[in-house]
Amino acid sequence: MALSGMRGLSVFISDVRNCQNKEQERQRVDKELGNIRTKFKNERGLTPYEKKKYVWKMLYIYMLGYDVDFGHMETVSLISAPKYPEKQVGYIVTSCLLNENHDFLRLVINTVRNDIIGRNETFQCLALTMVGNIGGKEFAESLAPDVQKLLISSSCRPLVRKKAALCLLRLYRKNPDVVNVEGWSDRMAQLLDERDLGVLIAVMSLLVALVASNFDIYWSCVPKCVKILERLARSQDIPQDYTYYGIPSPWLQVKTMRALQYFPTIEDPNIRRSLFEVLQRILMGTDVVKNVNKNNASHAVLFEALALVMHLDAEKEMMSQCVALLGKFIAVREPNIRYLGLENMTRMLMVADVQDSIKRHQAQIITSLKDPDISIRRRALDLLYGMCDVTNAKDIVEELLQYLTTADFGIREELALKAAILAEKFAPDLSWYVDVILQLIDKAGDFISDDIWYRVVQFVTNNEDLQPYAAAKAREYLDKPAVHETMVKVGAYLLGEYSHLLARRPGCSPKEIFSVIHDKLPTVSISTVALLLNTYAKILMHTQPPDQELQEHIWAVFSKYESYIDLEIQQRAVEYFALSQKGPILMDILAEMPKFPERQSALLRRAEDTEVDTAELSATKLRVQQQMSSAIVVSDQRPANGSLPTGQIKMPDVGKVEQGPRQANGALSKQDAQTASPEPDLLGDLLSPLAIEGPPGPVVSFPSSSLLSLEGPTEDSDPLALAILGEQPSSIQPIGDVAERFQALCLKDSGVLYEDPFIQIGMKSEWRANQGRLVLFLGNKNTSALTYVQAVLLPPAHLRMKLSLVPDIIPPRAQVQCPLEVVNLRASRDVAVIDFSYKNGAVPVNVKLRLPIVFNKFLQPLAMTTDTFFPQWRALVGPPAKLQEVVRGVKPLSLPEMANLFNSLQISVSPGLDPNPNNLVASTTFYSEATRAILCLIRVETDPSDRTQLRMTVASNDPNTTFEFKEFIKEQLVYIPTAPSVASSAPTPPPLPPVRSSSGITDPAAALAGLI
């Protein structure tokens, strides 16, 4: 930024830098902004030099982080200046201060176009730079043809054509329709014959974007790309300016190989041979040197070449050469190179016939598992997991178990999950599998999901020969002084079912088994106590005739818990106590569990999905994933289907939701039938550190009517916690919790709305008064196109919505944007729904998603003082303008927590306004077409002794707005249970008296009026 001759600007910058603190800086900036505003009001007296100086000052102030909300017209007007200094300032500052949707940009489209098509190269560069920086749909539609002409013009200098290529790339990303693909493919092939490397790099960036969306029509570019690589590999006609540490234009090499990866395997033998010669030269000529900059450049080229070799499915000899080269990299000291070596070796696992070559480096990979850098440890873990098979499973799992005790907490969960999957998938015998899982629980119980020990129970139940061994191992682990609760669960279950098989072994009599388990009872949670009571009943069942002393001990435990506060424990204690008095009949009632149905393990099914995903992680997919959020926990929240047989507590079906061990055969308690909730798949994403959750509650099968919980809100559901509407096809399940995604978007303006294995729907929105503009991003995650794409809006009556046309087909690994315009007509809490459907091959998918266009999106916080609040409050008297309600069942929030909640909903809390410190006063402005801007006031009176109740008073000039606003706030405050409520015979408590303020005044208007 040239400051010569602008003394005022230099002095201002010097003053700002000399400020002692932030407050002084702010005062100096405010003073300067006031001066600039005054000067702009008297614009007639400003010379072009002065206007330029003040606009530079505005840019500097903006760069300091201050808002500059005026002077935009003066800035834009400089673009039309005839001289370069003023025009330069106009273009630069406009690029920084204005975004693509700013109205002022429309005023300069003609001026910018005249500069682009003019003959002044300096002005052309300025205009292309600004258009490329701002982008925008209007710029794309108006200027793209002129930019294309500049790019293909033979009379333009390379500097201009280079900027034109990058500008066209930005416009294409904003609006792909600006490039006519049918007529442009031949032009692109001609542009690749360019000798100037600067233009060629810019053109190659454009080609990468074009072939990512549609490669079919650009096949003519493939031979040209190979020729470019040959030219670079042989250093033919490469200017010194484009040679980086002896490497000919590494950026162009990387972009060219990246473009080739979007095409399927090349069949032409001549082109294929030439390309492999270049790749062979790159593989053979790359080594680690001392110069870090040269290493970075050469390795960028090398790893892109490796990705291209894998993509082209090269011969086995070249693949083995790649593995050997990566083996050298994972052994060097430089951590960045080791990381890249491990990552690319993991990607090599997708190639056939290289598994054995990778196994030769197993020792070095295991060494990397203990690297100080956690990112290298994670990559080593991924590689070990991917290369494991029946031949090396024992060695790898044993290494993981040894490393588990010293691994840091950030990786233990992933480590334990992968070890469990490998042990199950490649177990040479089931006893070894049981040993591995029990060791996992013993060494990392806090990081073990319940699904893992559920699976052990299934194996033991289904294999009679394994039962004595598993029971004996459980007995050994329970003898330890410190045992994790998960070990108590699995041990108690196994001993309850099979301890009678150990009766002749020392230390395994029923009394001793009961004693070792009962010692753990005081240390476990409520859910585990229920399982232990089940175990005690089983021990009594196996001890026939009963041991009187043991029977008395167990009966005493049952009697103790008959009056326990938890209904589940109480129910079990009562029923088991009654059943245990039946004598030999107990053997029939509490018989051993039958075998589980033979179905694929949920762990292995998830592992296979993970392996398929890993096999597809080509360089192309990795780049797509950088643009689309991933690594989200998959949570299957479908309730298990099936009827509930009388006399047996049944678990969900193994094939649908991985199940825990079934409970004893006995009378079905009402509590079991009423309180259990659908159990989510806690291993939704095997690699996610968020996958492990707390211990599940009791699990039973649900009738098919339970599916209604996915179809719409119920009386007990949070209106904002809205999941997918409609029943999902059983084969396609969403990734992540859709309800949580919806809730998050209700409070923020961008994020992921929905995701499944094939598509991700993101959303970005902005809100102004009663209008909103949203953009839906439909991203195809797949390698094949999504067809029959449809999106139908189901708007409520209070919203006027317009969705741009959604394309019928989303190309592979492409993303389309669908603008959605919203106008709020009146106050309502109804939520809009979008009916979205598509086909992936022959698989149809249909989901109905709730859009986060909710009440608080049309609120604008308004801070008020005593002088402004009370006149408004007193003017609104009684229903329907002012409504009051005593709300019970409130989430127990402290006053600061409640204030934070209100602020997140765009409702401004005014602290200290209410005379009672236990009360809260807030205000906001609601916008709709019917009411325009309407002031909404709220007062919340809390009871410090009982945070579960409060009194709320809401007021506004519009009765409908008052009611909807009150109900909306109530929904945010009231505690919504996540499971169906438990039927109880307890009498309904009498209504609480009205909450009173400390002064004894029950009318909030009178209380507030007393302040003035």
Side-chain angles (χ1 to χ4, degrees):
M1 184 184 296
L3 303 180
S4 59
M6 285 190 283
R7 177 174 175 76
L9 177 59
S10 302
V11 171
F12 172 62
I13 293 176
S14 177
D15 290 346
V16 171
R17 289 177 176 175
N18 291 331
C19 290
Q20 299 297 318
N21 51 53
K22 190 68 177 177
E23 186 59 33
Q24 286 185 10
E25 178 184 296
R26 187 183 300 278
Q27 291 175 0
R28 182 66 183 89
V29 168
D30 288 343
K31 178 180 177 182
E32 193 63 37
L33 286 175
N35 179 50
I36 296 173
R37 194 188 299 270
T38 301
K39 295 293 184 182
F40 282 167
K41 286 181 179 179
N42 303 320
E43 187 178 354
R44 294 180 180 177
L46 287 180
T47 64
Y49 166 81
E50 291 175 326
K51 185 183 293 187
K52 178 182 66 172
K53 177 180 66 174
Y54 292 130
V55 170
W56 275 133
K57 287 183 179 181
M58 287 170 51
L59 177 60
Y60 182 71
I61 291 171
Y62 176 78
M63 292 169 62
L64 290 176
Y66 296 94
D67 290 333
V68 178
D69 54 0
F70 69 96
H72 297 159
M73 179 61 77
E74 288 76 9
T75 302
V76 170
S77 66
L78 286 173
I79 293 178
S80 304
K83 295 183 179 180
Y84 172 76
E86 287 78 21
K87 187 179 286 287
Q88 178 201 32
V89 175
Y91 275 121
I92 292 177
V93 180
T94 299
S95 300
C96 295
L97 293 186
L98 305 186
N99 60 38
E100 61 185 71
N101 298 317
H102 205 288
D103 294 336
F104 284 165
L105 290 179
R106 296 172 182 162
L107 304 177
V108 295
I109 287 181
N110 289 333
T111 303
V112 174
R113 183 174 183 273
N114 291 334
D115 286 340
I116 289 177
I117 64 178
R119 296 191 176 185
N120 188 318
E121 293 179 347
T122 305
F123 290 178
Q124 286 177 327
C125 291
L126 287 174
L128 290 171
T129 301
M130 188 197 77
V131 174
N133 283 332
I134 294 181
K137 192 171 182 179
E138 291 192 28
F139 273 174
E141 294 172 350
S142 305
L143 303 177
D146 298 312
V147 176
Q148 286 177 325
K149 290 178 183 177
L150 276 185
L151 176 58
I152 62 180
S153 173
S154 59
S155 61
C156 287
R157 289 177 57 193
L159 174 65
V160 178
R161 297 178 64 205
K162 177 171 61 175
K163 290 183 178 293
L166 296 177
C167 180
L168 184 60
L169 172 61
R170 176 61 183 268
L171 297 181
Y172 174 77
R173 287 172 175 168
K174 286 293 180 182
N175 185 6
D177 295 335
V178 301
V179 175
N180 183 5
V181 291
E182 297 298 333
W184 188 249
S185 56
D186 294 336
R187 294 288 191 184
M188 285 301 303
Q190 295 172 9
L191 288 171
L192 293 179
D193 291 328
E194 176 66 42
R195 304 307 296 174
D196 186 277
L197 290 188
V199 177
L200 201 53
I201 292 173
V203 169
M204 193 61 67
S205 300
L206 177 60
L207 178 63
V208 170
L210 293 173
V211 297
S213 300
N214 187 357
F215 65 85
D216 284 334
I217 62 173
Y218 294 102
W219 275 103
S220 59
C221 297
V222 172
K224 302 292 182 69
C225 290
V226 176
K227 286 184 179 180
I228 291 172
L229 289 176
E230 287 182 312
R231 172 188 172 189
L232 295 171
R234 295 169 183 168
S235 296
Q236 295 177 343
D237 189 24
I238 306 299
Q240 186 64 32
D241 291 344
Y242 288 92
T243 302
Y244 185 78
Y245 287 93
I247 304 171
S249 189
W251 303 276
L252 181 55
Q253 293 189 57
V254 168
K255 289 178 182 294
T256 306
M257 288 186 285
R258 187 167 295 177
L260 288 173
Q261 291 175 61
Y262 284 101
F263 293 93
T265 302
I266 300 172
E267 301 296 342
D268 188 302
N270 295 326
I271 297 177
R272 188 178 176 89
R273 182 175 60 256
S274 300
L275 180 56
F276 278 132
E277 287 177 1
V278 174
L279 295 175
Q280 183 75 27
R281 184 188 294 264
I282 294 174
L283 296 179
M284 296 296 294
T286 304
D287 203 353
V288 180
V289 297
K290 290 184 178 180
N291 190 296
V292 176
N293 293 328
K294 184 174 182 179
N295 274 339
N296 291 338
S298 61
H299 291 149
V301 176
L302 172 65
F303 289 124
E304 203 67 46
L306 287 172
L308 185 54
V309 168
M310 287 184 280
H311 176 74
L312 295 175
D313 194 18
E315 290 76 8
K316 182 178 179 181
E317 182 179 350
M318 181 175 281
M319 290 296 183
S320 300
Q321 183 182 350
C322 292
V323 174
L325 185 61
L326 293 173
K328 293 180 182 179
F329 287 159
I330 66 175
V332 301
R333 296 181 60 183
E334 173 61 36
N336 290 332
I337 298 176
R338 277 206 314 281
Y339 178 93
L340 292 171
L342 291 168
E343 182 184 44
N344 281 272
M345 193 173 281
T346 304
R347 290 160 59 187
M348 289 290 291
L349 291 171
M350 64 181 281
V351 181
D353 301 327
V354 299
Q355 191 87 359
D356 293 337
S357 301
I358 294 177
K359 286 181 183 177
R360 296 174 192 154
H361 305 281
Q362 180 172 314
Q364 185 61 47
I365 297 169
I366 291 174
T367 302
S368 299
L369 193 63
K370 303 170 185 177
D371 193 275
D373 191 329
I374 189 172
S375 60
I376 294 178
R377 295 198 296 272
R378 288 188 182 278
R379 295 292 76 79
L381 178 58
D382 291 340
L383 182 52
L384 285 172
Y385 176 76
M387 64 187 283
C388 186
D389 58 20
V390 290
T391 63
N392 59 1
K394 265 194 170 183
D395 294 335
I396 290 179
V397 171
E398 287 175 4
E399 287 290 343
L400 297 182
L401 287 173
Q402 290 180 11
Y403 175 54
L404 189 61
T405 55
T406 58
D408 56 302
F409 293 115
I411 199 174
R412 281 195 189 184
E413 187 170 350
E414 182 180 350
L415 192 63
L417 284 170
K418 289 185 172 178
I421 294 168
L422 295 178
E424 179 177 347
K425 192 174 183 181
F426 303 112
D429 58 78
L430 292 179
S431 60
W432 177 81
Y433 169 72
V434 171
D435 286 341
V436 169
I437 300 302
L438 292 181
Q439 286 185 63
L440 279 176
I441 296 173
D442 183 51
K443 293 180 178 181
D446 288 334
F447 304 92
I448 299 298
S449 167
D450 281 348
D451 295 84
I452 295 177
W453 76 267
Y454 290 172
R455 189 61 179 160
V456 175
V457 167
Q458 293 169 33
F459 272 120
V460 175
T461 303
N462 289 2
N463 295 272
E464 293 183 4
D465 295 340
L466 189 62
Q467 292 167 0
Y469 179 81
K473 295 298 292 185
R475 173 70 176 84
E476 290 178 16
Y477 278 102
L478 289 181
D479 266 339
K480 293 186 177 183
V483 182
H484 192 272
E485 185 169 347
T486 303
M487 182 66 75
V488 175
K489 291 179 181 178
V490 65
Y493 187 92
L494 293 175
L495 290 174
E497 292 291 332
Y498 311 115
S499 61
H500 62 286
L501 302 177
L502 310 176
R504 296 182 180 180
R505 301 190 185 187
C508 294
S509 67
K511 282 184 181 180
E512 291 169 312
I513 295 292
F514 168 75
S515 177
V516 73
I517 296 175
H518 192 57
D519 287 344
K520 308 298 186 294
L521 182 64
T523 64
V524 297
S525 63
I526 291 177
S527 61
T528 307
V529 171
L531 194 149
L532 295 186
L533 294 180
N534 175 66
T535 300
Y536 298 160
K538 289 280 187 174
I539 292 175
L540 278 182
M541 175 196 75
H542 291 304
T543 312
Q544 296 295 336
D547 182 313
Q548 292 297 324
E549 184 179 355
L550 176 62
Q551 188 179 64
E552 292 297 330
H553 279 303
I554 294 178
W555 281 358
V557 175
F558 290 157
S559 299
K560 173 183 175 182
Y561 285 100
E562 281 182 345
S563 58
Y564 195 70
I565 189 171
D566 184 80
L567 294 181
E568 169 70 18
I569 303 297
Q570 182 186 129
Q571 185 86 22
R572 291 185 183 276
V574 170
E575 293 190 0
Y576 288 148
F577 184 73
L579 290 172
S580 63
Q581 296 176 337
K582 298 296 183 181
I585 303 177
L586 189 63
M587 294 291 291
D588 297 328
I589 300 175
L590 297 179
E592 288 186 10
M593 283 294 164
K595 292 184 178 181
F596 289 87
E598 290 295 339
R599 298 192 181 184
Q600 184 186 16
S601 162
L603 287 179
L604 289 184
R605 185 170 64 251
R606 298 294 186 186
E608 290 174 1
D609 293 342
T610 304
E611 288 174 359
V612 171
D613 186 57
T614 303
E616 293 179 355
L617 285 181
S618 62
T620 304
K621 181 169 182 179
L622 286 175
R623 287 192 295 277
V624 173
Q625 286 187 336
Q626 290 173 359
Q627 301 172 2
M628 304 171 70
S629 63
S630 59
I632 301 174
V633 181
V634 181
S635 181
D636 185 354
Q637 297 190 355
R638 294 171 296 162
N641 292 327
S643 59
L644 192 63
T646 305
Q648 181 179 356
I649 301 176
K650 183 176 180 293
M651 303 301 299
D653 199 345
V654 181
K656 296 180 180 177
V657 180
E658 186 69 11
Q659 67 184 26
R662 292 167 287 185
Q663 302 297 334
N665 289 354
L668 176 66
S669 67
K670 295 180 180 179
Q671 183 68 11
D672 285 332
Q674 294 171 347
T675 62
S677 61
E679 186 67 9
D681 185 351
L682 302 181
L683 294 181
D685 181 357
L686 296 174
L687 309 183
S688 171
L690 303 177
I692 301 297
E693 299 178 4
V699 183
V700 298
S701 293
F702 276 78
S704 59
S705 61
S706 297
L707 290 173
L708 293 176
S709 61
L710 293 180
E711 297 180 354
T714 64
E715 291 181 359
D716 295 327
S717 65
D718 187 340
L720 290 182
L722 298 169
I724 298 180
L725 295 172
E727 186 173 348
Q728 296 297 313
S730 59
S731 59
I732 306 300
Q733 288 300 306
I735 296 176
D737 191 321
V738 181
E740 289 182 2
R741 294 187 190 278
F742 176 87
Q743 282 183 312
L745 285 170
C746 288
L747 298 178
K748 61 181 184 179
D749 292 336
S750 62
V752 177
L753 179 66
Y754 170 81
E755 184 175 8
D756 64 28
F758 305 131
I759 196 168
Q760 184 187 70
I761 303 177
M763 196 184 77
K764 188 175 182 180
S765 61
E766 58 181 359
W767 307 90
R768 182 176 301 173
N770 68 315
Q771 299 181 356
R773 178 176 173 83
L774 300 85
V775 178
L776 297 178
F777 298 88
L778 311 179
N780 183 357
K781 301 164 56 178
N782 218 10
T783 54
S784 58
L786 300 180
T787 58
Y788 297 98
V789 180
Q790 288 187 338
V792 180
L793 278 178
L794 306 175
H798 76 285
L799 294 179
R800 185 167 64 239
M801 306 174 70
K802 180 181 178 182
L803 177 66
S804 296
L805 184 64
V806 177
D808 294 336
I809 298 176
I810 303 179
R813 294 170 177 156
Q815 184 187 79
V816 298
Q817 300 180 17
C818 304
L820 171 62
E821 297 179 357
V822 180
V823 177
N824 183 32
L825 304 179
R826 60 180 180 276
S828 176
R829 289 168 294 118
D830 295 336
V831 180
V833 174
I834 185 169
D835 187 345
F836 184 78
S837 61
Y838 67 91
K839 276 190 177 182
N840 179 63
V843 180
V845 181
N846 177 250
V847 291
K848 292 183 176 64
L849 302 170
R850 298 180 186 269
L851 296 175
I853 307 172
V854 289
F855 194 90
N856 57 290
K857 296 295 185 180
F858 305 105
L859 296 179
Q860 184 68 36
L862 176 65
M864 301 189 73
T865 63
T866 303
D867 295 335
T868 58
F869 182 86
F870 293 125
Q872 299 283 351
W873 184 265
R874 288 196 302 270
L876 301 169
V877 181
K882 181 182 290 184
L883 299 177
Q884 184 179 106
E885 181 178 349
V886 175
V887 184
R888 297 182 177 85
V890 174
K891 303 171 189 176
L893 300 175
S894 65
L895 220 57
E897 290 173 334
M898 191 179 298
N900 290 336
L901 171 63
F902 279 19
N903 288 327
S904 68
L905 298 173
Q906 305 297 313
I907 304 172
S908 179
V909 176
S910 301
L913 205 60
D914 195 288
N916 190 334
N918 297 318
N919 297 345
L920 181 146
V921 172
S923 53
T924 187
T925 304
F926 175 74
Y927 292 90
S928 70
E929 192 172 272
T931 61
R932 300 299 177 184
I934 183 170
L935 178 64
C936 298
L937 307 176
I938 181 172
R939 185 192 191 216
V940 177
E941 301 170 274
T942 67
D943 185 354
S945 63
D946 184 2
R947 289 291 181 185
T948 63
Q949 66 169 348
L950 53 82
R951 186 169 65 177
M952 177 173 61
T953 309
V954 175
S956 79
N957 283 323
D958 178 60
N960 180 58
T961 302
T962 303
F963 175 79
E964 294 291 341
F965 185 47
K966 177 180 74 71
E967 293 300 311
F968 173 74
I969 298 299
K970 180 180 174 182
E971 288 167 357
Q972 312 309 311
L973 295 175
V974 173
Y975 175 73
I976 306 297
T978 56
S981 59
V982 180
S984 174
S985 59
T988 304
L992 296 172
V995 181
R996 299 176 65 88
S997 65
S998 58
S999 62
I1001 302 174
T1002 58
D1003 179 18
L1008 291 174
L1011 285 176
I1012 59 175

